[in-house]
Amino acid sequence: MKKNAFCAVLFVCLAVFLGCKSSGGVQPEPVEPLALLDGDSSIYLSIPASKNAALVSKLLCSRISGLSEKDARQIAERTDSLYAGLGTVKDRSRIQVVSDTSVPKIALNSALSKKNGWKKSAVTCGGFIFEKFTQVSGGFELALSPSGIFCAAQDVAPLLQNCVLRTVAEDTPWNRWIGAETDEIRFYITKPGQYLRGLIGQPVSGVDAVYGSLRRTEKNQSETYLMSFYMHLADKRGAAALRALLGLSFAMAGGSVSQTDDYTLMLSGVEVSVSQIESLFSRDPITGKHYKVLGDEVIEESMPK
């Protein structure tokens, strides 16, 4: 995924106003936001935007030129929960975002106008007609569900198809984790082999899921977050070695490692800044490199000259 691409999509989702409905007389049944996300993402993420308004507004202002901190804060405070699915094993750049918000409808046409680089069209999915907005320069697509859920992706058709087919989210470990009511930012990594190298600093095998949270705190009048996460192992025999590795990797960061059961390790107390959160889920694009996929692993190979 392109670095900071998620922050740009986050801004669009928060800035767009969800009072309008899809066109057409008959509407699909109301649907839960999480039900729209596909089930093959590498990372799932939830952000209670209104309860983390300061963080969200800082992220918006750092990436969107000309956006005032006041306006960014108002947008964040009127947005409830934002959910995202980031990357797949085959396509690390894929982004799917869904959000519900109560920002007034009046600025919809202004926010997504032709002047601002958006093209409005109608798209039919499952016999229902939806309004779709396409970013002319970047190709990102935005659409509105009848129940007031906003979705954004490189291709919104799968999200709209899920809107027609599903009314509740599938019962998966990641949906249960990020769908819980909480003030925390939560994440669930379904393909940890692709991500743990960047998080720990070296490759790690034998971990089949990583899930955790970021909780706001204040230190020296500066807003920071404390990160905690669990690592679930496929084989309990690897727990001791991984616990030692985690202890070495995060000792200087003040983190502590514990074992919650035979298969699960927990790392807690790692302090992260807003800039670190911004980069936590961003990854370099694959452009100019060749990768092969082996199970959950994505292995970089040298390009032939």
Side-chain angles (χ1 to χ4, degrees), residues 189-222:
I189 305 176
T190 65
K191 302 293 187 294
Q194 301 180 41
Y195 294 86
L196 286 177
R197 177 192 290 268
L199 189 62
I200 296 176
Q202 55 185 296
V204 176
S205 60
V207 179
D208 55 21
V210 173
Y211 53 99
S213 62
L214 296 157
R215 181 176 290 275
R216 186 177 67 249
T217 184
E218 290 190 6
K219 184 177 181 180
N220 299 326
Q221 298 182 338
S222 176

PDB file of all heavy atoms in Angstrom, residues 189-222:
ATOM      1  N   ILE A 189      -4.402  -8.476  12.609  1.00  0.00           N
ATOM      2  CA  ILE A 189      -3.567  -8.830  11.464  1.00  0.00           C
ATOM      3  C   ILE A 189      -3.763 -10.310  11.175  1.00  0.00           C
ATOM      4  O   ILE A 189      -3.378 -11.169  11.972  1.00  0.00           O
ATOM      5  CB  ILE A 189      -2.087  -8.522  11.736  1.00  0.00           C
ATOM      6  CG1 ILE A 189      -1.908  -7.052  12.132  1.00  0.00           C
ATOM      7  CG2 ILE A 189      -1.239  -8.838  10.506  1.00  0.00           C
ATOM      8  CD1 ILE A 189      -0.488  -6.691  12.512  1.00  0.00           C
ATOM      9  N   THR A 190      -4.394 -10.615  10.056  1.00  0.00           N
ATOM     10  CA  THR A 190      -4.693 -12.000   9.713  1.00  0.00           C
ATOM     11  C   THR A 190      -3.524 -12.689   9.029  1.00  0.00           C
ATOM     12  O   THR A 190      -3.466 -13.917   8.983  1.00  0.00           O
ATOM     13  CB  THR A 190      -5.911 -12.076   8.783  1.00  0.00           C
ATOM     14  OG1 THR A 190      -5.591 -11.445   7.531  1.00  0.00           O
ATOM     15  CG2 THR A 190      -7.115 -11.383   9.407  1.00  0.00           C
ATOM     16  N   LYS A 191      -2.621 -11.926   8.452  1.00  0.00           N
ATOM     17  CA  LYS A 191      -1.455 -12.469   7.761  1.00  0.00           C
ATOM     18  C   LYS A 191      -0.198 -11.894   8.411  1.00  0.00           C
ATOM     19  O   LYS A 191       0.527 -11.100   7.813  1.00  0.00           O
ATOM     20  CB  LYS A 191      -1.496 -12.113   6.268  1.00  0.00           C
ATOM     21  CG  LYS A 191      -2.733 -12.594   5.532  1.00  0.00           C
ATOM     22  CD  LYS A 191      -2.753 -14.116   5.450  1.00  0.00           C
ATOM     23  CE  LYS A 191      -3.895 -14.602   4.570  1.00  0.00           C
ATOM     24  NZ  LYS A 191      -5.232 -14.306   5.111  1.00  0.00           N
ATOM     25  N   PRO A 192       0.105 -12.277   9.650  1.00  0.00           N
ATOM     26  CA  PRO A 192       1.200 -11.633  10.388  1.00  0.00           C
ATOM     27  C   PRO A 192       2.572 -11.859   9.789  1.00  0.00           C
ATOM     28  O   PRO A 192       3.488 -11.069  10.030  1.00  0.00           O
ATOM     29  CB  PRO A 192       1.100 -12.249  11.786  1.00  0.00           C
ATOM     30  CG  PRO A 192       0.372 -13.530  11.594  1.00  0.00           C
ATOM     31  CD  PRO A 192      -0.587 -13.289  10.472  1.00  0.00           C
ATOM     32  N   GLY A 193       2.734 -12.914   8.987  1.00  0.00           N
ATOM     33  CA  GLY A 193       4.033 -13.143   8.383  1.00  0.00           C
ATOM     34  C   GLY A 193       4.495 -12.002   7.504  1.00  0.00           C
ATOM     35  O   GLY A 193       5.694 -11.781   7.324  1.00  0.00           O
ATOM     36  N   GLN A 194       3.554 -11.255   6.946  1.00  0.00           N
ATOM     37  CA  GLN A 194       3.897 -10.134   6.074  1.00  0.00           C
ATOM     38  C   GLN A 194       4.298  -8.887   6.859  1.00  0.00           C
ATOM     39  O   GLN A 194       4.943  -7.987   6.328  1.00  0.00           O
ATOM     40  CB  GLN A 194       2.704  -9.771   5.194  1.00  0.00           C
ATOM     41  CG  GLN A 194       2.208 -10.910   4.308  1.00  0.00           C
ATOM     42  CD  GLN A 194       1.029 -10.487   3.473  1.00  0.00           C
ATOM     43  OE1 GLN A 194       0.995  -9.390   2.942  1.00  0.00           O
ATOM     44  NE2 GLN A 194       0.044 -11.355   3.348  1.00  0.00           N
ATOM     45  N   TYR A 195       3.943  -8.814   8.133  1.00  0.00           N
ATOM     46  CA  TYR A 195       4.054  -7.550   8.858  1.00  0.00           C
ATOM     47  C   TYR A 195       5.006  -7.583  10.049  1.00  0.00           C
ATOM     48  O   TYR A 195       5.506  -6.545  10.460  1.00  0.00           O
ATOM     49  CB  TYR A 195       2.664  -7.122   9.350  1.00  0.00           C
ATOM     50  CG  TYR A 195       1.723  -6.778   8.227  1.00  0.00           C
ATOM     51  CD1 TYR A 195       0.965  -7.770   7.605  1.00  0.00           C
ATOM     52  CD2 TYR A 195       1.601  -5.471   7.757  1.00  0.00           C
ATOM     53  CE1 TYR A 195       0.117  -7.464   6.558  1.00  0.00           C
ATOM     54  CE2 TYR A 195       0.755  -5.171   6.716  1.00  0.00           C
ATOM     55  CZ  TYR A 195       0.018  -6.166   6.110  1.00  0.00           C
ATOM     56  OH  TYR A 195      -0.815  -5.870   5.075  1.00  0.00           O
ATOM     57  N   LEU A 196       5.253  -8.762  10.604  1.00  0.00           N
ATOM     58  CA  LEU A 196       6.028  -8.809  11.836  1.00  0.00           C
ATOM     59  C   LEU A 196       7.482  -8.403  11.643  1.00  0.00           C
ATOM     60  O   LEU A 196       8.119  -7.916  12.578  1.00  0.00           O
ATOM     61  CB  LEU A 196       5.954 -10.213  12.451  1.00  0.00           C
ATOM     62  CG  LEU A 196       4.617 -10.544  13.107  1.00  0.00           C
ATOM     63  CD1 LEU A 196       4.612 -11.979  13.617  1.00  0.00           C
ATOM     64  CD2 LEU A 196       4.317  -9.585  14.245  1.00  0.00           C
ATOM     65  N   ARG A 197       8.022  -8.598  10.441  1.00  0.00           N
ATOM     66  CA  ARG A 197       9.389  -8.157  10.196  1.00  0.00           C
ATOM     67  C   ARG A 197       9.525  -6.662  10.460  1.00  0.00           C
ATOM     68  O   ARG A 197      10.458  -6.201  11.106  1.00  0.00           O
ATOM     69  CB  ARG A 197       9.828  -8.476   8.774  1.00  0.00           C
ATOM     70  CG  ARG A 197      11.229  -7.972   8.449  1.00  0.00           C
ATOM     71  CD  ARG A 197      11.514  -8.046   6.949  1.00  0.00           C
ATOM     72  NE  ARG A 197      11.658  -9.408   6.497  1.00  0.00           N
ATOM     73  CZ  ARG A 197      12.818 -10.057   6.435  1.00  0.00           C
ATOM     74  NH1 ARG A 197      13.928  -9.445   6.837  1.00  0.00           N
ATOM     75  NH2 ARG A 197      12.875 -11.282   5.987  1.00  0.00           N
ATOM     76  N   GLY A 198       8.561  -5.861   9.954  1.00  0.00           N
ATOM     77  CA  GLY A 198       8.615  -4.418  10.166  1.00  0.00           C
ATOM     78  C   GLY A 198       8.364  -4.026  11.604  1.00  0.00           C
ATOM     79  O   GLY A 198       8.900  -3.042  12.098  1.00  0.00           O
ATOM     80  N   LEU A 199       7.542  -4.805  12.305  1.00  0.00           N
ATOM     81  CA  LEU A 199       7.193  -4.471  13.675  1.00  0.00           C
ATOM     82  C   LEU A 199       8.291  -4.845  14.657  1.00  0.00           C
ATOM     83  O   LEU A 199       8.603  -4.099  15.583  1.00  0.00           O
ATOM     84  CB  LEU A 199       5.893  -5.185  14.056  1.00  0.00           C
ATOM     85  CG  LEU A 199       5.237  -4.805  15.382  1.00  0.00           C
ATOM     86  CD1 LEU A 199       4.834  -3.341  15.387  1.00  0.00           C
ATOM     87  CD2 LEU A 199       4.035  -5.688  15.644  1.00  0.00           C
ATOM     88  N   ILE A 200       8.900  -6.014  14.442  1.00  0.00           N
ATOM     89  CA  ILE A 200       9.888  -6.529  15.379  1.00  0.00           C
ATOM     90  C   ILE A 200      11.317  -6.286  14.910  1.00  0.00           C
ATOM     91  O   ILE A 200      12.240  -6.177  15.711  1.00  0.00           O
ATOM     92  CB  ILE A 200       9.636  -8.035  15.623  1.00  0.00           C
ATOM     93  CG1 ILE A 200       8.276  -8.226  16.288  1.00  0.00           C
ATOM     94  CG2 ILE A 200      10.705  -8.667  16.484  1.00  0.00           C
ATOM     95  CD1 ILE A 200       7.884  -9.674  16.492  1.00  0.00           C
ATOM     96  N   GLY A 201      11.501  -6.183  13.586  1.00  0.00           N
ATOM     97  CA  GLY A 201      12.840  -5.936  13.078  1.00  0.00           C
ATOM     98  C   GLY A 201      13.500  -7.154  12.470  1.00  0.00           C
ATOM     99  O   GLY A 201      14.607  -7.062  11.939  1.00  0.00           O
ATOM    100  N   GLN A 202      12.842  -8.308  12.517  1.00  0.00           N
ATOM    101  CA  GLN A 202      13.368  -9.526  11.910  1.00  0.00           C
ATOM    102  C   GLN A 202      12.215 -10.477  11.636  1.00  0.00           C
ATOM    103  O   GLN A 202      11.148 -10.352  12.224  1.00  0.00           O
ATOM    104  CB  GLN A 202      14.409 -10.180  12.818  1.00  0.00           C
ATOM    105  CG  GLN A 202      13.943 -10.477  14.225  1.00  0.00           C
ATOM    106  CD  GLN A 202      15.063 -11.015  15.093  1.00  0.00           C
ATOM    107  OE1 GLN A 202      15.595 -12.091  14.819  1.00  0.00           O
ATOM    108  NE2 GLN A 202      15.443 -10.276  16.114  1.00  0.00           N
ATOM    109  N   PRO A 203      12.421 -11.429  10.709  1.00  0.00           N
ATOM    110  CA  PRO A 203      11.323 -12.323  10.353  1.00  0.00           C
ATOM    111  C   PRO A 203      10.912 -13.219  11.513  1.00  0.00           C
ATOM    112  O   PRO A 203      11.735 -13.632  12.324  1.00  0.00           O
ATOM    113  CB  PRO A 203      11.898 -13.134   9.180  1.00  0.00           C
ATOM    114  CG  PRO A 203      13.380 -13.044   9.346  1.00  0.00           C
ATOM    115  CD  PRO A 203      13.646 -11.685   9.936  1.00  0.00           C
ATOM    116  N   VAL A 204       9.620 -13.508  11.592  1.00  0.00           N
ATOM    117  CA  VAL A 204       9.066 -14.373  12.632  1.00  0.00           C
ATOM    118  C   VAL A 204       8.133 -15.361  11.949  1.00  0.00           C
ATOM    119  O   VAL A 204       7.305 -14.989  11.122  1.00  0.00           O
ATOM    120  CB  VAL A 204       8.293 -13.565  13.687  1.00  0.00           C
ATOM    121  CG1 VAL A 204       7.647 -14.504  14.697  1.00  0.00           C
ATOM    122  CG2 VAL A 204       9.213 -12.590  14.399  1.00  0.00           C
ATOM    123  N   SER A 205       8.261 -16.623  12.298  1.00  0.00           N
ATOM    124  CA  SER A 205       7.390 -17.642  11.725  1.00  0.00           C
ATOM    125  C   SER A 205       6.578 -18.305  12.830  1.00  0.00           C
ATOM    126  O   SER A 205       6.893 -18.194  14.009  1.00  0.00           O
ATOM    127  CB  SER A 205       8.219 -18.694  10.972  1.00  0.00           C
ATOM    128  OG  SER A 205       9.129 -19.333  11.865  1.00  0.00           O
ATOM    129  N   GLY A 206       5.527 -19.000  12.435  1.00  0.00           N
ATOM    130  CA  GLY A 206       4.735 -19.750  13.389  1.00  0.00           C
ATOM    131  C   GLY A 206       3.644 -18.969  14.086  1.00  0.00           C
ATOM    132  O   GLY A 206       2.972 -19.480  14.979  1.00  0.00           O
ATOM    133  N   VAL A 207       3.426 -17.689  13.695  1.00  0.00           N
ATOM    134  CA  VAL A 207       2.370 -16.860  14.287  1.00  0.00           C
ATOM    135  C   VAL A 207       1.223 -16.770  13.292  1.00  0.00           C
ATOM    136  O   VAL A 207       1.418 -16.337  12.160  1.00  0.00           O
ATOM    137  CB  VAL A 207       2.886 -15.457  14.643  1.00  0.00           C
ATOM    138  CG1 VAL A 207       1.769 -14.608  15.235  1.00  0.00           C
ATOM    139  CG2 VAL A 207       4.055 -15.552  15.620  1.00  0.00           C
ATOM    140  N   ASP A 208       0.019 -17.173  13.702  1.00  0.00           N
ATOM    141  CA  ASP A 208      -1.095 -17.179  12.754  1.00  0.00           C
ATOM    142  C   ASP A 208      -2.062 -16.020  12.938  1.00  0.00           C
ATOM    143  O   ASP A 208      -2.978 -15.839  12.132  1.00  0.00           O
ATOM    144  CB  ASP A 208      -1.853 -18.506  12.791  1.00  0.00           C
ATOM    145  CG  ASP A 208      -2.352 -18.883  14.176  1.00  0.00           C
ATOM    146  OD1 ASP A 208      -2.469 -17.977  15.037  1.00  0.00           O
ATOM    147  OD2 ASP A 208      -2.624 -20.074  14.412  1.00  0.00           O
ATOM    148  N   ALA A 209      -1.907 -15.200  13.975  1.00  0.00           N
ATOM    149  CA  ALA A 209      -2.746 -14.016  14.148  1.00  0.00           C
ATOM    150  C   ALA A 209      -2.095 -13.062  15.140  1.00  0.00           C
ATOM    151  O   ALA A 209      -1.466 -13.494  16.117  1.00  0.00           O
ATOM    152  CB  ALA A 209      -4.137 -14.398  14.640  1.00  0.00           C
ATOM    153  N   VAL A 210      -2.232 -11.775  14.862  1.00  0.00           N
ATOM    154  CA  VAL A 210      -1.796 -10.727  15.787  1.00  0.00           C
ATOM    155  C   VAL A 210      -2.941  -9.740  15.915  1.00  0.00           C
ATOM    156  O   VAL A 210      -3.486  -9.276  14.903  1.00  0.00           O
ATOM    157  CB  VAL A 210      -0.535  -9.995  15.272  1.00  0.00           C
ATOM    158  CG1 VAL A 210      -0.218  -8.798  16.159  1.00  0.00           C
ATOM    159  CG2 VAL A 210       0.657 -10.938  15.227  1.00  0.00           C
ATOM    160  N   TYR A 211      -3.334  -9.426  17.131  1.00  0.00           N
ATOM    161  CA  TYR A 211      -4.408  -8.460  17.330  1.00  0.00           C
ATOM    162  C   TYR A 211      -4.111  -7.633  18.567  1.00  0.00           C
ATOM    163  O   TYR A 211      -3.519  -8.109  19.531  1.00  0.00           O
ATOM    164  CB  TYR A 211      -5.762  -9.167  17.459  1.00  0.00           C
ATOM    165  CG  TYR A 211      -5.818 -10.266  18.505  1.00  0.00           C
ATOM    166  CD1 TYR A 211      -6.357 -10.028  19.769  1.00  0.00           C
ATOM    167  CD2 TYR A 211      -5.336 -11.540  18.223  1.00  0.00           C
ATOM    168  CE1 TYR A 211      -6.414 -11.044  20.720  1.00  0.00           C
ATOM    169  CE2 TYR A 211      -5.389 -12.557  19.164  1.00  0.00           C
ATOM    170  CZ  TYR A 211      -5.928 -12.302  20.411  1.00  0.00           C
ATOM    171  OH  TYR A 211      -5.972 -13.299  21.353  1.00  0.00           O
ATOM    172  N   GLY A 212      -4.498  -6.354  18.508  1.00  0.00           N
ATOM    173  CA  GLY A 212      -4.157  -5.482  19.625  1.00  0.00           C
ATOM    174  C   GLY A 212      -4.920  -4.178  19.593  1.00  0.00           C
ATOM    175  O   GLY A 212      -5.908  -4.017  18.869  1.00  0.00           O
ATOM    176  N   SER A 213      -4.428  -3.226  20.390  1.00  0.00           N
ATOM    177  CA  SER A 213      -5.133  -1.960  20.538  1.00  0.00           C
ATOM    178  C   SER A 213      -4.164  -0.840  20.828  1.00  0.00           C
ATOM    179  O   SER A 213      -3.013  -1.050  21.234  1.00  0.00           O
ATOM    180  CB  SER A 213      -6.156  -2.049  21.682  1.00  0.00           C
ATOM    181  OG  SER A 213      -5.496  -2.311  22.920  1.00  0.00           O
ATOM    182  N   LEU A 214      -4.635   0.368  20.610  1.00  0.00           N
ATOM    183  CA  LEU A 214      -3.914   1.599  20.921  1.00  0.00           C
ATOM    184  C   LEU A 214      -4.818   2.446  21.801  1.00  0.00           C
ATOM    185  O   LEU A 214      -5.939   2.768  21.413  1.00  0.00           O
ATOM    186  CB  LEU A 214      -3.560   2.348  19.636  1.00  0.00           C
ATOM    187  CG  LEU A 214      -2.598   1.634  18.688  1.00  0.00           C
ATOM    188  CD1 LEU A 214      -2.750   2.154  17.276  1.00  0.00           C
ATOM    189  CD2 LEU A 214      -1.161   1.805  19.162  1.00  0.00           C
ATOM    190  N   ARG A 215      -4.339   2.784  22.976  1.00  0.00           N
ATOM    191  CA  ARG A 215      -5.140   3.557  23.924  1.00  0.00           C
ATOM    192  C   ARG A 215      -4.460   4.902  24.189  1.00  0.00           C
ATOM    193  O   ARG A 215      -3.270   4.968  24.474  1.00  0.00           O
ATOM    194  CB  ARG A 215      -5.315   2.798  25.236  1.00  0.00           C
ATOM    195  CG  ARG A 215      -6.160   3.531  26.264  1.00  0.00           C
ATOM    196  CD  ARG A 215      -6.374   2.688  27.491  1.00  0.00           C
ATOM    197  NE  ARG A 215      -7.252   1.555  27.215  1.00  0.00           N
ATOM    198  CZ  ARG A 215      -8.574   1.633  27.260  1.00  0.00           C
ATOM    199  NH1 ARG A 215      -9.179   2.786  27.544  1.00  0.00           N
ATOM    200  NH2 ARG A 215      -9.316   0.568  27.012  1.00  0.00           N
ATOM    201  N   ARG A 216      -5.283   5.972  24.111  1.00  0.00           N
ATOM    202  CA  ARG A 216      -4.759   7.328  24.271  1.00  0.00           C
ATOM    203  C   ARG A 216      -4.298   7.575  25.702  1.00  0.00           C
ATOM    204  O   ARG A 216      -4.902   7.145  26.673  1.00  0.00           O
ATOM    205  CB  ARG A 216      -5.836   8.339  23.892  1.00  0.00           C
ATOM    206  CG  ARG A 216      -5.352   9.788  23.895  1.00  0.00           C
ATOM    207  CD  ARG A 216      -6.435  10.741  23.431  1.00  0.00           C
ATOM    208  NE  ARG A 216      -7.531  10.813  24.371  1.00  0.00           N
ATOM    209  CZ  ARG A 216      -8.755  10.342  24.141  1.00  0.00           C
ATOM    210  NH1 ARG A 216      -9.025   9.723  23.002  1.00  0.00           N
ATOM    211  NH2 ARG A 216      -9.715  10.447  25.038  1.00  0.00           N
ATOM    212  N   THR A 217      -3.173   8.302  25.819  1.00  0.00           N
ATOM    213  CA  THR A 217      -2.675   8.729  27.118  1.00  0.00           C
ATOM    214  C   THR A 217      -2.000  10.080  26.932  1.00  0.00           C
ATOM    215  O   THR A 217      -1.879  10.578  25.810  1.00  0.00           O
ATOM    216  CB  THR A 217      -1.672   7.711  27.705  1.00  0.00           C
ATOM    217  OG1 THR A 217      -1.288   8.142  29.016  1.00  0.00           O
ATOM    218  CG2 THR A 217      -0.441   7.582  26.824  1.00  0.00           C
ATOM    219  N   GLU A 218      -1.594  10.690  27.999  1.00  0.00           N
ATOM    220  CA  GLU A 218      -0.887  11.971  27.920  1.00  0.00           C
ATOM    221  C   GLU A 218       0.354  11.896  28.782  1.00  0.00           C
ATOM    222  O   GLU A 218       0.314  11.418  29.908  1.00  0.00           O
ATOM    223  CB  GLU A 218      -1.781  13.131  28.363  1.00  0.00           C
ATOM    224  CG  GLU A 218      -2.903  13.449  27.387  1.00  0.00           C
ATOM    225  CD  GLU A 218      -3.622  14.739  27.731  1.00  0.00           C
ATOM    226  OE1 GLU A 218      -3.167  15.434  28.654  1.00  0.00           O
ATOM    227  OE2 GLU A 218      -4.633  15.033  27.070  1.00  0.00           O
ATOM    228  N   LYS A 219       1.452  12.368  28.225  1.00  0.00           N
ATOM    229  CA  LYS A 219       2.725  12.371  28.925  1.00  0.00           C
ATOM    230  C   LYS A 219       3.436  13.677  28.608  1.00  0.00           C
ATOM    231  O   LYS A 219       3.640  14.021  27.447  1.00  0.00           O
ATOM    232  CB  LYS A 219       3.582  11.183  28.479  1.00  0.00           C
ATOM    233  CG  LYS A 219       4.897  11.051  29.213  1.00  0.00           C
ATOM    234  CD  LYS A 219       5.631   9.801  28.749  1.00  0.00           C
ATOM    235  CE  LYS A 219       6.950   9.641  29.489  1.00  0.00           C
ATOM    236  NZ  LYS A 219       7.670   8.424  29.039  1.00  0.00           N
ATOM    237  N   ASN A 220       3.774  14.414  29.660  1.00  0.00           N
ATOM    238  CA  ASN A 220       4.431  15.713  29.484  1.00  0.00           C
ATOM    239  C   ASN A 220       3.617  16.629  28.574  1.00  0.00           C
ATOM    240  O   ASN A 220       4.153  17.318  27.713  1.00  0.00           O
ATOM    241  CB  ASN A 220       5.844  15.541  28.922  1.00  0.00           C
ATOM    242  CG  ASN A 220       6.738  14.735  29.849  1.00  0.00           C
ATOM    243  OD1 ASN A 220       6.607  14.816  31.066  1.00  0.00           O
ATOM    244  ND2 ASN A 220       7.626  13.944  29.275  1.00  0.00           N
ATOM    245  N   GLN A 221       2.272  16.590  28.751  1.00  0.00           N
ATOM    246  CA  GLN A 221       1.334  17.415  27.990  1.00  0.00           C
ATOM    247  C   GLN A 221       1.351  17.106  26.497  1.00  0.00           C
ATOM    248  O   GLN A 221       0.879  17.896  25.687  1.00  0.00           O
ATOM    249  CB  GLN A 221       1.629  18.909  28.210  1.00  0.00           C
ATOM    250  CG  GLN A 221       1.459  19.343  29.657  1.00  0.00           C
ATOM    251  CD  GLN A 221       1.698  20.830  29.844  1.00  0.00           C
ATOM    252  OE1 GLN A 221       2.361  21.476  29.039  1.00  0.00           O
ATOM    253  NE2 GLN A 221       1.162  21.378  30.917  1.00  0.00           N
ATOM    254  N   SER A 222       1.889  15.963  26.133  1.00  0.00           N
ATOM    255  CA  SER A 222       1.929  15.544  24.737  1.00  0.00           C
ATOM    256  C   SER A 222       1.113  14.271  24.579  1.00  0.00           C
ATOM    257  O   SER A 222       1.295  13.319  25.339  1.00  0.00           O
ATOM    258  CB  SER A 222       3.375  15.303  24.292  1.00  0.00           C
ATOM    259  OG  SER A 222       3.414  14.821  22.973  1.00  0.00           O
TER     260      SER A 222
END
